[in-house]
Amino acid sequence: MNTLLLGNTKEDIKTAAKFLKNGGVVAMPTETVYGLAADALNGDAVKKIFLAKRRPMDNPLIVHISEIEDIKRFNLVSDFPQKAKMLAEHFWPGPLTIIMNKSDIIPDEVSAGLSTVAIRLPSHEVARNLIKESGTVLAAPSANRSGSPSPTTAQHVLNDLSGDIEAVVDGGMCDVGLESTVITLATKTPRLLRPGLVTVEEIEAVIGKIDVDHAVLFKLKSDEKVASPGMKYKHYAPKAKVVLLNGESDKFISFVNDEYAKDSTVGVICYDEDVQSINAKAIPIGKADDLETQAHLLFYALRQVDELDSFTTVYAHCPIKTGVGMALYNRLIRAASFEVIDLE
Ligand code: AMP
Ligand code: MG
């Protein structure tokens, strides 16, 4: 298959929507990361997403809508709890995914056999226009090959999936840079399944106390049951080995400089302030206190690790576990296969 690289004019959106109406798969920009979209109400179309990504079939997809009313219009859920409505009104359009009990209209391919469905209303104009133009709602996981860092540019998508999908709609670099926050309201107490730019603290300000799933911050035991199947897979990893360093910047800098003196294939993902003191090749991801810029650049940096050089090991700061730091930690700890060195 020849993958078409589209811009985001009205004509381009029409072309992409036509592929989707015909049961094809198209990558689209969203404010979080690029998504690989198919008609969420067509099980055969959704199957093609799993094939293109080589995604395990037991990992469910997020359904993207273009306005809150789509939930009723397409009859997506069996009930729309009050707290879900409060979250939707407060955070949509935006990087929050809400899980609710599904209706029968949701194909098994989307929910991976679960009784629930994950729904999000993205804020990216191109995504919303494409959903509207396609006349349906779109199932869309991140548009990367399963396991690799999520794509934040159209080029990233092409690097992974060129030849396997109909088209990519280019909407520039994604603003947020990390996948959406995922919360389930299908449990008695709302439970965070994946952290993102919308933080626990912000959610609790709207609906009160929530639980944070164990798998957000801790490694799963081999026999542990997961609420969100995506959490059990190796994820976000470049080819080079990633190791997190826990400690102040001065200790971080002297540790990586020592390692680099022993082995020149060592690389570093670091804060802007550190770059000039580091002897190894350093990829900066923003100032130490600017977590939103770090989120914006993290996956870009993880992909640069593979593109720039043949690094064997790449060291990165271990982020704090609160606020947006929780999302950075959740992604980096998986990229690092949970390997952290304590420098204190
Ligand atoms: P991705 O779109 O690649 O970011 O993946 C979607 C994430 O949402 C994965 O981690 C899924 O496991 C999770 N997810 C989607 N639908 C559900 C659901 N019904 N219940 C629990 N987790 C879900
Ligand atoms: Mg993904």
Side-chain angles (χ1 to χ4, degrees), residues 65-77 80 84-94 98 100 119-122 128 132 137:
I65 60 178
S66 70
E67 49 191 9
I68 294 187
E69 290 70 33
D70 282 350
I71 293 180
K72 260 209 181 120
R73 187 149 78 96
F74 292 97
N75 184 31
L76 303 178
V77 299
F80 194 173
K85 282 189 186 141
M86 288 161 73
L87 290 176
E89 267 155 34
H90 201 275
F91 294 106
W92 283 356
I98 304 174
M100 294 177 263
I119 300 178
R120 184 167 96 83
L121 170 48
R128 286 171 72 184
K132 252 195 203 114
V137 290

Side-chain angles (χ1 to χ4, degrees), residues 153-201:
T153 66
Q155 187 58 50
H156 290 168
V157 178
L158 288 174
N159 292 348
D160 279 20
L161 301 177
S162 187
D164 294 330
I165 61 178
E166 262 83 14
V168 181
V169 177
D170 192 345
M173 189 170 173
C174 302
D175 276 348
V176 175
L178 294 182
E179 306 89 340
S180 58
T181 304
V182 177
I183 185 168
T184 179
L185 292 193
T187 46
K188 204 162 160 220
T189 306
R191 174 179 290 258
L192 185 89
L193 300 184
R194 179 174 73 188
L197 191 72
V198 174
T199 63
V200 171
E201 295 82 353

Side-chain angles (χ1 to χ4, degrees), residues 5-34:
L5 176 60
L6 296 166
N8 55 55
T9 64
K10 264 194 179 146
E11 273 314 303
D12 292 318
I13 303 270
K14 275 197 177 136
T15 306
K18 207 178 276 169
F19 282 125
L20 291 165
K21 282 180 194 163
N22 291 331
V25 286
V26 171
M28 67 174 178
T30 82
E31 74 278 22
T32 57
V33 301
Y34 274 73

Side-chain angles (χ1 to χ4, degrees), residues 281-303:
K281 173 92 192 163
I283 303 171
I285 57 166
K287 294 214 169 76
D289 62 358
D290 184 355
L291 302 186
E292 292 189 8
T293 298
Q294 291 171 35
H296 176 65
L297 292 176
L298 177 63
F299 288 145
Y300 196 88
L302 286 172
R303 281 179 178 262

Side-chain angles (χ1 to χ4, degrees), residues 53 55 59-62 99 111 114 116-118 140-142 179 182 193-194 227-231:
K53 281 187 59 116
R55 182 178 174 102
N59 194 3
L61 308 181
I62 295 169
I99 295 176
S111 55
L114 299 174
T116 51
V117 61
S142 49
E179 306 89 340
V182 177
L193 300 184
R194 179 174 73 188
S228 182
M231 294 208 255

